[in-house]
Amino acid sequence: MDWLERTAKLRQWTRGGTRAPHKPLLLLYALGRFQRDADGELRYSAVEADLQRLLTEYGPPHRTTPAYPFHHLVSDGVWEVRTDSGPGSPGTGVRDLRESGATGRLPHALTTALRREPELLHRMARSLLDLHFPPSLHGDLCEAVGLDLEPAAADRLSVARGRRDRRMRESVLTAYEYRCAFCGYDGRIGAVPVGLEAAHVRWWAFHGPDDVDNALCLCSLHHKLFDKGVLGLDDHHRVLVSQRFVGHSPAAREQVTALAGRPLVGPQPGARRVAAEHLAWHTGQVFQGPPRPAAPH
């Protein structure tokens, strides 16, 4: 039984690139709990709040419930549920899961494999991260679910979709003249840019191409905020700032809320702008709308 392959092929609702990270988030959470307590079980009523926070923080913009993956992950063979009455899930009803004492855990065969081969946990987790989330969020997500991963595990991953184009970063930074497209930051140490990154608009994990018209040159801060849905772009390539973002310090106002309505910096003439279909994907699947009104400039 290839657990890594099962992890990579979780059945998910998909339509037109819609994000549905419910099962990956639950499985990451379960792996994190296993790493801390290999014999523990996850009673729905006890972990519901944790799982809801994960979905709110890392899931799609629309509200959703952890009851869905708690029940449906069973069908992928990497999760099992029982109630106070015996084996089997009571369904996706939140009240039923709470009142029946529904409890989930990794199957015995999987926990046996994880004990026998500790590296398997790292490879499964890396697969879930690479296939469903952008690299800028991996560290925060591991911390959120309590996973401690070996950095070297990423180099041994064999199931993720292809390989990224290593030339993309240089192409994107050149297109934007080595400036953050949101704030204009252009720091260097000598001749080497520092703190500037090529950010996918439509995530690579969701078949976003390694092309200039699917990327922005962003500083490290704004890359993270873009991938978290705090920042976005409208159809006229002006910066969107989510109303859900709260920051009262001068730095938060200057670096985030003051960006609302600001036109994008770049790209240079002749370089391709972000394609409309990639902007639409990010707005629908990542940006935590509605946006703030344009800031006075």
Side-chain angles (χ1 to χ4, degrees):
M1 185 176 296
D2 191 332
W3 295 108
L4 194 59
E5 184 176 358
R6 287 194 179 193
T7 300
K9 294 182 178 179
L10 296 180
R11 290 189 286 273
Q12 297 173 269
W13 186 90
T14 57
R15 180 185 297 166
T18 300
R19 292 179 61 218
H22 309 68
K23 288 182 178 180
L25 285 170
L26 174 57
L27 187 50
L28 282 167
Y29 183 82
L31 291 172
R33 290 288 291 264
F34 176 85
Q35 198 173 47
R36 302 192 302 278
D37 179 9
D39 297 316
E41 295 184 328
L42 305 181
R43 194 174 182 88
Y44 182 80
S45 58
V47 301
E48 181 182 9
D50 283 352
L51 296 176
Q52 187 63 65
R53 278 192 293 270
L54 284 174
L55 282 171
T56 300
E57 191 77 9
Y58 297 98
H62 57 273
R63 183 168 176 79
T64 185
T65 170
Y68 167 84
F70 204 92
H71 169 76
H72 285 292
L73 187 59
V74 172
S75 65
D76 294 282
V78 295
W79 181 249
E80 60 187 25
V81 176
R82 61 179 297 119
T83 67
D84 293 339
S85 302
S89 170
T92 59
V94 172
R95 183 174 179 179
D96 292 336
L97 287 165
R98 292 171 180 165
E99 295 182 352
S100 66
T103 300
R105 59 169 295 147
L106 303 175
H108 176 71
L110 175 53
T111 59
T112 299
L114 292 171
R115 287 185 173 96
R116 184 176 62 246
E117 184 186 353
E119 184 182 291
L120 176 61
L121 183 146
H122 298 267
R123 299 186 72 200
M124 288 176 65
R126 287 290 178 188
S127 173
L128 291 166
L129 291 168
D130 272 2
L131 291 170
H132 302 284
F133 305 96
S136 67
L137 301 185
H138 290 185
D140 290 347
L141 189 44
C142 284
E143 184 175 349
V145 300
L147 272 171
D148 182 16
L149 297 186
E150 299 172 359
D155 297 331
R156 296 189 291 272
L157 185 63
S158 60
V159 298
R161 178 181 66 86
R163 292 292 176 186
R164 295 175 174 86
D165 185 347
R166 296 184 182 275
R167 299 168 297 180
M168 177 186 172
R169 179 177 181 273
E170 184 65 26
S171 298
V172 173
L173 266 61
T174 298
Y176 286 85
E177 300 181 285
Y178 294 86
R179 295 178 298 171
C180 174
F182 286 169
C183 69
Y185 168 82
D186 60 354
R188 296 171 180 261
I189 295 179
V192 180
V194 60
L196 287 172
E197 301 165 356
H200 282 83
V201 177
R202 184 186 181 110
W203 294 352
W204 184 85
F206 285 83
H207 306 287
D210 285 335
D211 295 333
V212 170
D213 66 359
N214 183 43
L216 294 167
C217 174
L218 297 177
C219 67
S220 300
L221 171 63
H222 291 133
H223 187 178
K224 174 68 69 68
L225 296 179
F226 187 64
D227 283 346
K228 291 280 282 187
V230 172
L231 299 176
L233 286 174
D234 67 14
D235 294 342
H236 303 289
H237 293 251
R238 294 183 179 274
V239 180
L240 300 174
V241 179
S242 172
Q243 289 184 10
R244 292 181 57 188
F245 175 80
V246 177
H248 301 293
S249 67
R253 290 195 296 270
E254 294 167 9
Q255 293 295 321
V256 185
T257 54
L259 297 178
R262 185 178 296 182
L264 207 62
V265 178
Q268 63 175 291
R272 289 176 293 165
R273 304 181 78 190
V274 177
E277 61 266 29
H278 301 321
L279 282 181
W281 183 89
H282 186 275
T283 301
Q285 299 302 317
V286 181
F287 182 67
Q288 300 288 326
R292 289 171 173 262
H297 297 296

